[in-house]
Amino acid sequence: MNRPLSPALAFAVAAAGIGLFAIMDAFMKSLTLALGVYNALIWRTGMSALFGFGAWAASGARRPTRRGMRLHLIRGALTAAMALLFFWGLAHVPMAQAITLSYIAPLLALLMGALFLHERVGRRVAGASLAAFAGVLVVLAGQSQAALGPAALKGALAVLGSALLYAVNLVVARIQSQAADPGGIAFFQSAIVTAVLALGAPWLLAVPEAAQWWKIVVGGLLATVSLFLLGWAYAHGEAGYLATTEYTSFVYAATLGYAVFGERLSPYTLAGAAIIIAACLYAARRRNTAPADPMTEGTGSQPASHSAYP
């Protein structure tokens, strides 16, 4: 087990990883609008796999254990499904709204931690889950008021479906961070997602126009660096302590959404985000009453970081 070394350093590295992923989201929204979600994702993850291989080689290219490889495969399959849902939804709703809806994942992960890992869930988590659900309803109410159309509602539901899958992914992610090195995580996750998506290549694959390639390259590089940084941070810091770094992504999403896509924040999105973030932070303050298994410690309070999306 990797023990926490420097909490402040782990916090800074996690915050940097979240910031880069938020910028990558803007690139992916642009690519999805231009290429469609399938081609945007497969070309971007393929590029990430190339960069990830370099990161893995630079870190020593240690061959994963059988258990580590099994975790890579499970997380890669989950990631492929939830990334398709998230980026399709992101193309149809404002960035800040999509990020806000994805914040319910850590609370869902707390409940799934109780289901799959037999972790204790008390009144704090139950109350926070209800509050977060109320926050989601506020965001969706604002969407109906804004008259964004049926595609926006479908996009919001896709993001919520992605968050549900990601809650399962979070249970795997913390265990994976203790069984594999950050370079290996960065490479194998992108490579496996690309392989899963390639199953549809005979029917869906198209070569992007030349004008889109620089976005694919930059997006792949941002995703790889972010995966490496977040993998390192969660291997060296406690998940509950690092959780607050995730919520900086709302600021990035709101800023980039307005600057790049002309998206304006509604009061409903701001109110819903405040409710969901407060609920997540309240739930994260829980304390375990018994010693945690070192291979699952912190799983329940890991944030909904975009490290899930390769």
Side-chain angles (χ1 to χ4, degrees), residues 86-165:
F86 179 80
F87 289 122
W88 186 88
L90 183 63
H92 293 84
V93 299
M95 286 185 64
Q97 187 182 107
I99 297 300
T100 297
L101 293 174
S102 73
Y103 285 159
I104 67 167
L107 289 175
L108 292 175
L110 288 172
L111 300 177
M112 289 186 178
L115 180 63
F116 296 114
L117 302 176
H118 307 294
E119 294 179 344
R120 184 165 164 253
V121 175
R123 294 179 182 178
R124 180 188 296 272
V125 173
S129 298
L130 291 175
F133 181 69
V136 169
L137 293 180
V138 169
V139 174
L140 294 178
Q143 187 178 75
S144 64
Q145 293 292 324
L148 296 176
L153 177 59
K154 292 178 181 178
L157 293 176
V159 173
L160 289 172
S162 176
L164 177 62
L165 288 178

Side-chain angles (χ1 to χ4, degrees), residues 42-90:
I42 192 171
W43 288 106
R44 214 295 320 286
T45 54
M47 189 63 64
S48 294
L50 293 177
F51 287 123
F53 180 79
W56 182 50
S59 64
R62 286 179 291 178
R63 182 178 178 179
T65 63
R66 180 177 299 181
R67 179 172 180 271
M69 195 65 218
R70 184 169 65 250
L71 290 169
H72 287 316
L73 290 170
I74 293 172
R75 194 177 178 200
L78 282 170
T79 298
M82 69 189 188
L84 285 169
L85 285 171
F86 179 80
F87 289 122
W88 186 88
L90 183 63

Side-chain angles (χ1 to χ4, degrees), residues 204-230:
L204 301 173
L205 188 67
V207 178
E209 297 177 357
Q212 303 299 326
W213 276 102
W214 75 273
K215 298 178 186 177
I216 294 172
V217 173
V218 174
L221 181 60
L222 287 171
T224 301
V225 174
S226 299
L227 276 173
F228 187 90
L229 292 177
L230 288 163

Side-chain angles (χ1 to χ4, degrees), residues 158-248:
V159 173
L160 289 172
S162 176
L164 177 62
L165 288 178
Y166 187 41
V168 180
N169 188 287
L170 285 173
V171 177
V172 179
R174 178 60 177 170
I175 303 173
Q176 183 192 40
S177 71
Q178 303 299 320
D181 61 279
I185 292 173
F187 168 57
F188 284 104
Q189 183 169 324
S190 294
I192 290 170
V193 171
T194 303
V196 171
L197 293 174
L199 295 175
W203 303 275
L204 301 173
L205 188 67
V207 178
E209 297 177 357
Q212 303 299 326
W213 276 102
W214 75 273
K215 298 178 186 177
I216 294 172
V217 173
V218 174
L221 181 60
L222 287 171
T224 301
V225 174
S226 299
L227 276 173
F228 187 90
L229 292 177
L230 288 163
W232 186 93
Y234 277 95
H236 293 85
E238 295 180 358
Y241 174 69
L242 300 177
T244 53
T245 62
E246 166 61 22
Y247 303 114
T248 61

